[in-house]
């Protein structure tokens, strides 16, 4: 057993639970925070123009960019789950095969999606909530972030998952953080120095594309130099034989669907909110973006422990797996309660941090406290869904994903808008989260019962 395998075995099997969780979670959370900051930076710098159409464009275009995240989750979370379970079951070749399939499958998906956006992006503008005032900004943003930057953006996110799956969370966190810091640095350079006035949205998009490209390159260099025997960049290792490809796609599909349904949910919200003008759409976009601090950190907490849960599940070390879940649960709930209190206490200062336009600030200040209620409930659902992903409970993960985004929230948005207007659109989010918890808890109890029988 080489040094890399010895370190991985210690981390996954014998290190104190708190140490193992924090080792995987802290770098992941830090990278999520920096990623959020660079997302904030785009909105903040565009907001300096006080052009509500440009601010609305960034918010409206974001769902299509998020599809890239969904595709990376398909191969990244699916691949991470299969790799960690294969390592726990001491099936090294399956882990390597999973890495190769996830890598080259994601490249093919990124190329296909980039081609679709190139030919049909302009036609999608009005479907996703854009209007005449924001059309040119949306098209520019999609061109640079997806058409030009699709493959490196996909690879950057994918490698973050796959490198973390073998216990290298520090490396994954460092590279992702580096990309975020680079994006923040490049934003003002391209928006206000290199490109002429009126092209601030394109400048933000180019900065995002370049930072993701840099992250992908650094990941490739690390993988080439690493002695980790699971890593491979050789196309010859790609194979459709065996159960690895199907297991990756089946496990990753709910994560991809969850992201895509979130996109559909955002599009529906933007479309419904557009009846109240660009300021309302911009206000909703900024309120949701500020709320992502809590959502993404909780996502980092849960994704960080996914390999640890999957490894110990496959090794049938159920006691250690449950301790990991309990420790992570305590962290996520404590953090979520604190975030909810901050969002509900200081909505106006948070909105003014991004933009000084009075109508947008007023709209966002009204909406943010309601959105904040969803944070605690979402944290619980995230963790339960991660358990299902890590252990290969595909149907449970699929059902949990569809409950949160799609089955509950979109119909509720249409229904509640009739009675509560703008507020009704956002009230749907916390209600959907609460309803989802009941379904997720029922599924979790069934899963835990099955562990008792197996033990």
């Amino acid at each position: 057993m080489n040094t890399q395998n010895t370190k991985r075995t210690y981390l996954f099997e014998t290190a104190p639970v708190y140490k193992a969780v924090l080792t995987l979670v802290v770098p992941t959370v830090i990278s999520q925070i920096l990623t959020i900051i660079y997302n904030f930076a785009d909105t903040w710098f565009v907001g300096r123009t006080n052009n509500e159409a440009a601010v609305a464009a960034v918010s409206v275009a974001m769902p299509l960019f998020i599809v890239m995240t969904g595709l990376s989750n398909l191969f990244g979370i699916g691949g991470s789950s299969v790799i960690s379970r294969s390592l726990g079951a001491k099936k090294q070749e399956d882990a390597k095969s999973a890495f190769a399939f996830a890598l080259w499958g994601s490249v093919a998906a990124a190329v296909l999606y980039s081609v679709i956006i190139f030919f049909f992006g302009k036609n999608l503008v009005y479907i996703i909530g854009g209007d005449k005032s924001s059309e040119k900004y949306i098209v520019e943003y999609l061109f640079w972030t997806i058409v030009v930057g699709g493959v490196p953006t996909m690879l950057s996110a994918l490698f973050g998952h796959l490198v973390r799956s073998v216990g290298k969370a520090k490396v994954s966190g460092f590279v992702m953080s580096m990309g975020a810091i680079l994006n923040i640095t490049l934003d003002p350079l391209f928006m206000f120095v290199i490109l002429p006035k009126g092209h601030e949205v394109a400048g933000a998009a180019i900065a995002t594309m370049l930072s993701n490209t840099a992250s992908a390159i650094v990941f490739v260099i690390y993988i080439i130099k690493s002695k980790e025997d699971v890593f491979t960049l050789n196309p010859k290792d790609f194979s459709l034989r065996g159960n690895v490809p199907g297991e990756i796609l089946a496990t990753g599909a709910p994560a991809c669907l969850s992201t895509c349904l979130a996109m559909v949910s955002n599009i529906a919200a933007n479309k419904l909110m557009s009846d109240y003008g660009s300021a309302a759409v911009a206000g909703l976009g900024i309120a949701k973006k500020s709320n992502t601090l809590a959502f993404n950190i909780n996502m980092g907490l849960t994704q960080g422990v996914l390999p640890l849960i999957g490894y110990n599940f496959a090794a049938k070390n159920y006691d250690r797996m449950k301790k990991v879940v309990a420790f992570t649960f305590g962290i996520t709930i404590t953090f979520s309660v604190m975030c909810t209190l901050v969002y509900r206490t200081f909505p106006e200062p948070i909105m003014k941090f991004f933009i000084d336009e009075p109508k947008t600030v007023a709209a966002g200040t009204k909406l943010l406290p309601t959105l904040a209620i969803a944070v605690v409930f979402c944290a619980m659902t995230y963790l339960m869904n991660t358990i299902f992903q890590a252990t290969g409970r595909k149907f449970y993960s699929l059902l949990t994903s569809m409950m949160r985004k799609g089955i509950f929230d979109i119909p509720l948005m249409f229904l509640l808008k009739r009675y509560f207007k703008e507020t009704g659109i956002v009230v749907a989010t916390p209600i959907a989260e609460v309803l989802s918890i009941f379904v997720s808890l029922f599924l979790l109890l069934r899963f835990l019962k099955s562990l008792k029988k197996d033990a």
Side-chain angles (χ1 to χ4, degrees):
M1 184 179 290
N2 64 33
T3 304
Q4 297 291 336
N5 289 350
T6 302
K7 290 180 179 178
R8 182 176 65 225
T9 301
Y10 168 72
L11 178 66
F12 285 161
E13 294 183 8
T14 58
V17 167
Y18 78 90
K19 183 177 181 180
V21 170
L22 294 179
T23 298
L24 292 169
V25 159
V26 171
T28 309
V29 168
I30 291 173
S31 68
Q32 285 283 358
I33 291 173
L34 289 171
T35 300
I36 295 163
I37 290 173
Y38 94 65
N39 283 330
F40 284 180
D42 282 356
T43 304
W44 188 86
F45 283 121
V46 173
R48 296 312 92 196
T49 66
N50 286 323
N51 180 346
E52 65 183 42
V55 175
V58 174
S59 300
V60 170
M62 192 55 63
L64 291 181
F65 181 72
I66 289 174
V67 171
M68 297 293 292
T69 304
L71 292 172
S72 69
N73 285 343
L74 173 64
F75 294 97
I77 290 180
S80 178
S81 175
V82 173
I83 289 170
S84 62
R85 280 185 279 142
S86 297
L87 292 174
K90 311 302 180 186
K91 297 179 180 178
Q92 196 78 18
E93 285 304 312
D94 282 354
K96 187 173 184 178
S97 177
F99 190 99
F101 179 83
L103 169 59
W104 295 107
S106 68
V107 170
V111 170
L112 177 61
Y113 186 59
S114 297
V115 170
I116 291 172
I117 294 300
F118 178 76
F119 286 106
F120 303 106
K122 192 170 183 178
N123 297 328
L124 294 171
V125 168
Y126 296 93
I127 296 175
I128 63 177
D131 55 26
K132 280 289 184 183
S133 65
S134 60
E135 177 188 332
K136 69 173 184 176
Y137 301 117
I138 296 173
V139 171
E140 284 181 335
Y141 193 86
L142 295 178
F143 176 77
W144 288 108
T145 57
I146 298 178
V147 176
V148 177
V151 172
T153 297
M154 176 81 84
L155 287 179
S156 176
L158 175 84
F159 285 139
H161 288 297
L162 299 187
V163 170
R164 192 165 54 243
S165 71
V166 298
K168 302 296 182 183
K170 289 182 181 179
V171 175
S172 176
F174 171 79
V175 179
M176 299 295 285
S177 299
M178 179 211 71
I181 293 171
L182 182 61
N183 196 330
I184 295 167
T185 305
L186 293 178
D187 260 341
L189 185 63
F190 279 93
M191 292 172 70
F192 305 118
V193 178
I194 296 177
L195 297 184
K197 187 175 181 180
H199 293 276
E200 291 84 4
V201 173
I206 292 172
T208 298
M209 180 271 294
L210 289 176
S211 63
N212 286 329
T213 301
S215 294
I217 291 172
V218 174
F219 268 128
V220 169
I221 293 171
Y222 169 75
I223 289 168
I224 291 173
K225 293 186 174 182
S226 174
K227 296 179 180 179
E228 178 60 59
D229 46 15
V230 172
F231 295 160
T232 175
L233 298 177
N234 191 342
K236 292 181 180 179
D237 290 323
F238 176 87
S239 174
L240 296 176
R241 294 191 298 271
N243 66 345
V244 168
E247 188 68 15
I248 288 176
L249 295 176
T251 304
C256 176
L257 178 65
S258 177
T259 305
C260 293
L261 285 175
M263 176 203 71
V264 174
S265 176
N266 279 334
I267 291 173
N270 286 330
K271 196 72 176 175
L272 291 170
M273 195 64 73
S274 65
D275 291 343
Y276 306 101
S278 291
V281 175
L284 175 64
I286 293 174
K288 284 196 169 188
K289 182 154 283 192
S290 61
N291 214 30
T292 57
L293 175 63
F295 286 120
N296 282 39
I297 290 178
N298 278 321
M299 192 181 300
L301 286 165
T302 55
Q303 286 183 0
V305 296
L306 187 151
L308 192 58
I309 295 172
Y311 185 100
N312 283 281
F313 171 77
K316 297 187 181 296
N317 192 347
Y318 301 142
D319 184 58
R320 182 174 174 81
M321 185 193 78
K322 291 176 183 177
K323 288 178 180 177
V324 168
V325 171
F327 184 76
T328 308
F329 180 82
I331 298 173
T332 55
I333 294 301
T334 302
F335 170 76
S336 298
V337 170
M338 292 171 60
C339 285
T340 299
L341 292 174
V342 170
Y343 287 140
R344 291 187 61 81
T345 305
F346 308 105
E348 187 173 352
I350 291 172
M351 291 298 301
K352 285 185 176 180
F353 174 78
F354 292 100
I355 191 170
D356 283 331
E357 202 282 315
K359 290 182 180 179
T360 302
V361 171
T365 301
K366 181 180 179 182
L367 302 176
L368 181 56
T370 302
L371 285 173
I373 299 172
V375 173
V376 176
F377 305 114
C378 180
M380 297 170 65
T381 311
Y382 271 167
L383 182 56
M384 287 186 279
N385 199 27
T386 297
I387 295 169
F388 302 146
Q389 291 169 347
T391 58
R393 291 301 188 267
K394 308 167 195 66
F395 176 71
Y396 288 5
S397 179
L398 178 65
L399 193 57
T400 302
S401 300
M402 293 175 64
M403 292 297 109
R404 285 192 60 247
K405 297 294 180 182
I407 292 179
F408 287 142
D409 70 327
I410 294 177
L412 283 170
M413 280 192 278
F414 281 90
L415 176 64
L416 296 176
K417 180 192 173 186
R418 296 177 57 187
Y419 301 101
F420 304 104
K421 298 183 179 179
E422 304 103 311
T423 304
I425 297 171
V426 296
V427 165
T429 299
I431 294 177
E433 294 290 357
V434 172
L435 294 174
S436 299
I437 284 177
F438 290 108
V439 178
S440 300
L441 277 174
F442 172 75
L443 296 175
L444 180 63
L445 291 174
R446 289 193 63 182
F447 169 67
L448 293 176
K449 187 176 180 179
S450 72
L451 291 186
K452 287 182 180 181
K453 289 182 179 179
D454 188 51

